[in-house]
Amino acid sequence: MVGFYGDAEQQLLKLVEVYTTEYGHDHPSTLATMHNLAYTYLNQGRCDDAQRLFEDVLEARKLKIGHDHPSTLTIMNNLALTYLDQGRWDDAVRLIEEVLEVQKINTGHDHPSTLITMHNLAYTYLDQGRWDDAVRLFEDVVEARKLKIGQCHPDTLRSMHNLAYTYQNQGRWDDAQRLLEDVVEAKILKIGHDHPDTLSSIHNLAYTYQNQGRWDDAQRLFEDVFEAQKLKIGYNHLDTLRSMHNLAYTYQNQGRCGDAERLFEEVLEARKLKIGHDHPSTMTTMYNLALTYLDQCRWDDAQRLFEDLLKLQKLKIGHDHPDTLRSMHSLAYTYQNQSRWDDAQKFLEDVVKARKLKIGHDHPDTLNSMHILALTYLGQGRWDTAQRLFEDLLQVQMLKLGQDHPDTLATMHHLEFISRIKQQELIESILQSHKGIGCCSWHLKCTCLIQ
């Protein structure tokens, strides 16, 4: 493919030179050839070259044939795609929204070209995390396509799939499930069970079941996808490895730690070879494998893996990235279980401080780290420090979670425990100071204290 685009580029460069010499820079033939050259650059991943050329052609076409001509709108769409590849989301959105408004006026709301632009704009909103805007557009596109081309048309199914994905990101798992089950059923009938698009939708449905806590249903589907992908695209294909990873995660949540460990270890080795040891997907597998070791109380194995992961994350994504902080938290928890209280304390104090700054003092992850840090102080015998932190934690939990939440009740239990410990220490201290006093006198003091 690289050779194909390279040959195309050389031919198009020659044609641009010929047309520019014979007809001029703004002749339709010159501009069409420049557009095709820009598209070739885009397919080569040369986004800056594509951007420069698309912008040049766009300005010329606006002057020659107008802002709302279909050819001009095509170039605007391709320039928007280029901006997307450059990560310039706002510039891409501005262009696509501009194209959409013109198309609604010129060709109508439900014209195929308008619906394609609406779909692309919704997808861009997805990349920006603008879930509500994406849902609104995808829902419009799905309804229009169902009426125009039918529910089982590939374009309709693609929009339904993306709408379900958006629901997932909003935590609307039941809506995503309902939609994906329809998509899977239609795709199996239209293009077959083993088609990559069908397997992608089955995979997303399984992921939805995971988040609904339907682990057996998720397991069945992930195993189905995994077996099909092994036959269709191979054991080491990235999509196959993703399915293996998610199947392992499902086993983990079913308590099948041995099965989860075996799969995670296979995925980890394959991903290291395919995409490198510091790729985000590889690091995710390292993290989950380390958690599997924790579930099996294999503290030393978990420690080794968390420490390796943490070194990579600090270099790759930074000390205060949420994933790095999560690994620090889990490593500290591992140190706790090894009775390495001072090491756990050092990490957790850093995590609590960073999480308060990054996500707020009342975020569930911050509260969890505060809880584990307070338990570490308990392990060090620092009752007063632990008590202060548990009291701070309880105050937030009462407001955020309520008095009857299990986490709030756990904190109250720990505070009661500390109170009993400190009371016992006080009794022992009084006992030591009254060693020379008669038994009757000590009994009276002790009785008063307990009351």
Side-chain angles (χ1 to χ4, degrees):
M1 208 55 155
V2 174
F4 170 79
Y5 286 122
D7 293 340
E9 176 194 346
Q10 294 306 313
Q11 293 174 16
L12 289 167
L13 281 169
K14 290 176 183 176
L15 282 174
V16 168
E17 186 178 352
V18 170
Y19 288 149
T20 303
T21 303
E22 291 193 13
Y23 306 125
H25 175 271
D26 58 352
H27 189 276
S29 297
T30 310
L31 295 176
T33 309
M34 289 171 66
H35 176 271
N36 291 338
L37 177 59
Y39 198 75
T40 302
Y41 288 149
L42 188 59
N43 282 286
Q44 289 176 309
R46 296 167 58 181
C47 294
D48 293 342
D49 292 330
Q51 173 206 332
R52 176 180 51 79
L53 211 48
F54 277 136
E55 288 175 341
D56 195 9
V57 175
L58 179 58
E59 289 309 308
R61 280 205 162 148
K62 280 182 178 179
L63 291 172
K64 289 288 284 187
I65 56 179
H67 175 274
D68 59 352
H69 190 279
S71 297
T72 308
L73 298 178
T74 298
I75 295 168
M76 291 172 71
N77 267 325
N78 286 333
L79 178 56
L81 289 176
T82 307
Y83 288 152
L84 287 178
D85 285 344
Q86 292 173 311
R88 297 171 56 179
W89 311 113
D90 293 339
D91 291 328
V93 164
R94 176 180 52 80
L95 266 187
I96 300 173
E97 287 176 339
E98 198 176 331
V99 170
L100 182 58
E101 289 310 307
V102 174
Q103 287 177 326
K104 284 180 178 179
I105 295 170
N106 285 0
T107 57
H109 181 277
D110 61 351
H111 189 275
S113 297
T114 309
L115 294 176
I116 289 172
T117 303
M118 288 174 68
H119 183 278
N120 290 340
L121 179 57
Y123 204 83
T124 307
Y125 288 152
L126 277 185
D127 288 327
Q128 292 181 305
R130 296 170 58 179
W131 313 120
D132 293 342
D133 292 328
V135 161
R136 175 178 51 80
L137 275 186
F138 276 135
E139 286 177 341
D140 287 348
V141 173
V142 167
E143 289 309 307
R145 282 181 165 168
K146 282 181 179 179
L147 290 172
K148 292 285 283 187
I149 54 180
Q151 177 164 324
C152 292
H153 189 280
D155 290 345
T156 310
L157 293 175
R158 185 170 67 250
S159 296
M160 291 171 68
H161 177 101
N162 288 331
L163 175 57
Y165 175 75
T166 312
Y167 287 152
Q168 286 178 336
N169 283 280
Q170 292 179 308
R172 296 170 58 180
W173 301 109
D174 292 344
D175 292 328
Q177 172 206 331
R178 186 189 74 257
L179 209 52
L180 284 168
E181 285 175 343
D182 289 344
V183 170
V184 167
E185 184 179 355
K187 283 184 175 180
I188 289 174
L189 288 173
K190 290 286 286 187
I191 55 180
H193 174 274
D194 292 345
H195 190 281
D197 287 348
T198 308
L199 295 177
S200 176
S201 294
I202 296 174
H203 183 280
N204 282 357
L205 178 56
Y207 177 74
T208 303
Y209 288 153
Q210 274 188 343
N211 284 276
Q212 292 174 310
R214 296 170 57 178
W215 299 110
D216 292 344
D217 292 327
Q219 174 204 331
R220 175 178 52 80
L221 286 190
F222 277 132
E223 287 177 342
D224 190 19
V225 173
F226 178 39
E227 291 305 316
Q229 287 175 328
K230 281 196 293 187
L231 292 173
K232 291 286 286 187
I233 56 179
Y235 188 84
N236 288 321
H237 191 281
L238 293 179
D239 288 346
T240 311
L241 295 177
R242 183 184 60 171
S243 298
M244 288 173 67
H245 176 99
N246 287 331
L247 176 57
Y249 180 75
T250 305
Y251 288 153
Q252 191 178 37
N253 283 276
Q254 290 175 309
R256 297 171 57 179
C257 294
D259 293 327
E261 177 193 334
R262 175 181 53 80
L263 272 188
F264 277 137
E265 287 177 342
E266 290 179 23
V267 174
L268 181 58
E269 290 310 307
R271 280 182 165 170
K272 283 180 179 179
L273 291 172
K274 291 282 285 187
I275 53 179
H277 68 291
D278 59 351
H279 189 279
S281 296
T282 309
M283 291 193 288
T284 298
T285 304
M286 290 176 70
Y287 180 82
N288 283 326
L289 176 57
L291 286 184
T292 305
Y293 290 150
L294 281 186
D295 288 339
Q296 299 174 90
C297 299
R298 294 168 56 182
W299 313 120
D300 293 344
D301 291 329
Q303 172 205 330
R304 173 182 52 78
L305 204 52
F306 279 134
E307 287 175 343
D308 289 347
L309 174 59
L310 200 50
K311 289 175 187 175
L312 294 173
Q313 287 175 323
K314 286 181 177 179
L315 288 172
K316 192 76 176 176
I317 55 178
H319 181 277
D320 61 349
H321 188 279
D323 289 349
T324 309
L325 296 175
R326 183 183 61 174
S327 298
M328 290 172 67
H329 175 101
S330 297
L331 177 56
Y333 176 75
T334 307
Y335 286 151
Q336 268 192 349
N337 283 280
Q338 295 172 309
S339 297
R340 295 173 56 178
W341 303 110
D342 293 344
D343 291 327
Q345 173 205 333
K346 175 171 63 69
F347 273 103
L348 285 167
E349 286 176 341
D350 287 346
V351 172
V352 168
K353 182 179 179 182
R355 280 183 164 168
K356 283 182 177 179
L357 289 172
K358 293 283 284 187
I359 55 179
H361 74 288
D362 59 351
H363 190 279
D365 289 345
T366 309
L367 298 179
N368 190 24
S369 294
M370 290 173 67
H371 180 86
I372 299 297
L373 176 57
L375 289 178
T376 302
Y377 290 147
L378 282 185
Q380 293 172 310
R382 298 169 59 184
W383 314 121
D384 291 338
T385 309
Q387 182 177 10
R388 284 195 299 272
L389 190 54
F390 275 129
E391 286 171 346
D392 291 344
L393 180 60
L394 181 62
Q395 188 175 2
V396 179
Q397 288 174 327
M398 293 285 279
L399 290 172
K400 191 78 176 177
L401 306 176
Q403 181 173 330
D404 297 328
H405 190 277
D407 291 349
T408 309
L409 295 174
T411 301
M412 293 168 68
H413 170 78
H414 290 309
L415 281 170
E416 184 182 348
F417 171 77
I418 293 171
S419 179
R420 289 201 304 269
I421 289 290
K422 292 174 73 174
Q423 187 180 61
Q424 182 63 35
E425 285 189 342
L426 182 58
I427 292 172
E428 290 176 359
S429 175
I430 293 173
L431 180 61
Q432 289 294 322
S433 65
H434 288 78
K435 278 186 176 179
I437 299 176
C439 180
C440 188
S441 174
W442 159 242
H443 174 73
L444 289 173
K445 289 181 179 293
C446 187
T447 303
C448 291
L449 179 68
I450 292 173
Q451 288 177 343

